[in-house]
Amino acid sequence: MIEKFFEWWRSLARREKHMLVTCVSVIALAIVYLVMFEPAWKGRRALAAELPQLRAQVAQIDAMAVEARRLAALPAGNDSPHVMRQAFESSIDAAGMRQYVSQIKLSGEVLDVRFKEVPFAVWVDWIDAALRETRLRVVDAAVQREAQLGKVSVRLSLEAPRREGR
């Protein structure tokens, strides 16, 4: 088989040999480009586009870690249910949401709070801040849409965070 190839190669004219070598070289370069260079180039561009988003996520995680360390370093304070209720009510008053509260009831260590016809966007912003400030955790929540656009009724059950040894 190899002898037939060499015999065929010797039978070609010099110009045909030159054109054949050129074509094989071009095809080999195209294969090398398509198999090795192009995927690496595209991957590098994709990673370069993704890098700013990943850096923003790392910065956000670092900020959360700093906040978690800060919160963990805070003294335990008085976790009595009455102090918990006072802190929560002051959060409601500070946000100007007292008009929407229909009930605040303390049952043991669980604080039941009900809101009537509260604007949903206002309530979501407030609950996010209130849970961070008071360090309460939601045990149960029910949000029901009202007839008015953007208004909801909410039922929350909250409790103090669990401490080690408790």
Side-chain angles (χ1 to χ4, degrees), residues 11 24 30-31 38 53 102 118:
S11 68
V24 168
I31 290 172
E38 185 184 29
Q53 179 185 8
S102 63
V118 61

Side-chain angles (χ1 to χ4, degrees), residues 90-103:
S90 66
S91 173
I92 290 171
D93 292 335
M97 295 193 41
R98 178 60 71 174
Q99 63 187 347
Y100 303 115
V101 176
S102 63
Q103 174 186 338

Side-chain angles (χ1 to χ4, degrees), residues 19-35:
M19 288 180 66
L20 193 58
V21 168
T22 303
C23 287
V24 168
S25 299
V26 168
I27 290 172
L29 285 174
I31 290 172
V32 166
Y33 174 80
L34 292 173
V35 171

Side-chain angles (χ1 to χ4, degrees), residues 99-164:
Q99 63 187 347
Y100 303 115
V101 176
S102 63
Q103 174 186 338
I104 297 180
K105 183 174 128 186
L106 188 59
S107 303
E109 291 193 10
V110 176
L111 183 62
D112 290 318
V113 185
R114 297 179 194 260
F115 295 90
K116 190 77 173 164
E117 296 183 2
V118 61
F120 181 72
V122 172
W123 179 78
V124 167
D125 289 341
W126 166 78
I127 193 68
D128 178 48
L131 292 178
R132 262 189 274 127
E133 291 169 6
T134 62
R135 298 178 73 180
L136 294 171
R137 71 182 192 99
V138 176
V139 177
D140 186 31
V143 180
Q144 184 176 9
R145 181 179 63 170
E146 292 292 330
Q148 286 183 311
L149 186 62
K151 301 268 181 149
V152 294
S153 290
V154 181
R155 180 185 48 79
L156 283 175
S157 295
L158 304 156
E159 71 178 9
R162 300 242 181 242
R163 299 254 184 238
E164 296 291 322

